[in-house]
Amino acid sequence: MEIPVDLSQMSALECNNPCQKVKIDRKNILPQEITLTCGEKCEDDSEGDVNSERRCNFLCQWFCVKNDYLIKELVALKEYLNRNTNNYFKSEIQIKIKCNGKTNIDARQFEILTDYIQNKKH
C-alpha cells in the first residue's frame, strides 16, 4: 500500500514505547519515503548499547498514531490470511509512506505534534 503525505519531517525522536504492530525498515529509509511492515514489532536501533536511548523516526510515529485504526485492520487481515489452511504462501503487508514534497514545520508545531504523539503512545 502506498500512501502520499504532505509532512516530510524525518527527524529522530526519543522513543521509550516502540510500536508492537508495525516495524519501520531502518535500512531503506529514503529522503522522502519510509516503508513499514505490518504485524511485526519495531526493532531497537541502539545496537546493543544499553545506555543509548531508543530513537524513532518522527514521520513513522506520527503516521502510526494518526492511523492506528488502519494498522490494526491491516495486522488483522495479515493474521487472517496467514491462518487460512489452504494458503500456499505467507502474506506480507507493507505501507510505503511517500512525501509529496519537502515541508518545514516550525519549532512550535513540531513540539505540539511531538507532545501529541508521546501522549497517545502511552
Side-chain angles (χ1 to χ4, degrees):
M1 170 183 298
E2 192 171 296
I3 300 177
V5 297
D6 289 329
L7 183 67
S8 64
Q9 189 72 31
M10 297 295 234
S11 305
L13 298 176
E14 180 180 347
C15 178
N16 297 322
N17 189 14
C19 296
Q20 300 297 310
K21 299 285 186 180
V22 68
K23 177 178 88 170
I24 187 170
D25 182 357
R26 294 183 187 278
K27 294 181 178 124
N28 295 312
I29 295 176
L30 301 174
Q32 297 292 315
E33 180 182 312
I34 60 174
T35 302
L36 309 177
T37 303
C38 293
E40 295 184 27
K41 182 179 176 183
C42 199
E43 297 172 347
D44 194 351
D45 69 339
S46 62
E47 298 175 2
D49 183 359
V50 293
N51 296 322
S52 174
E53 68 181 23
R54 190 176 193 295
R55 310 284 292 170
C56 291
N57 181 287
F58 175 85
L59 181 60
C60 180
Q61 285 192 20
W62 171 80
F63 182 85
C64 291
V65 167
K66 187 174 183 255
N67 297 289
D68 183 57
Y69 67 94
L70 174 64
I71 291 169
K72 288 178 181 175
E73 290 294 323
L74 291 174
V75 168
L77 175 61
K78 178 181 175 180
E79 290 171 354
Y80 168 76
L81 292 172
N82 288 335
R83 259 193 330 260
N84 188 341
T85 57
N86 296 324
N87 197 356
Y88 299 107
F89 55 89
K90 186 174 179 175
S91 297
E92 191 72 32
I93 298 177
Q94 291 187 330
I95 303 169
K96 282 193 186 288
I97 303 171
K98 290 193 166 203
C99 303
N100 289 330
K102 192 130 176 96
T103 58
N104 290 319
I105 58 175
D106 64 43
R108 181 68 183 135
Q109 288 175 315
F110 185 74
E111 181 183 332
I112 291 168
L113 290 173
T114 302
D115 288 345
Y116 179 78
I117 289 168
Q118 295 303 325
N119 290 333
K120 282 292 197 178
K121 285 190 83 168
H122 296 288

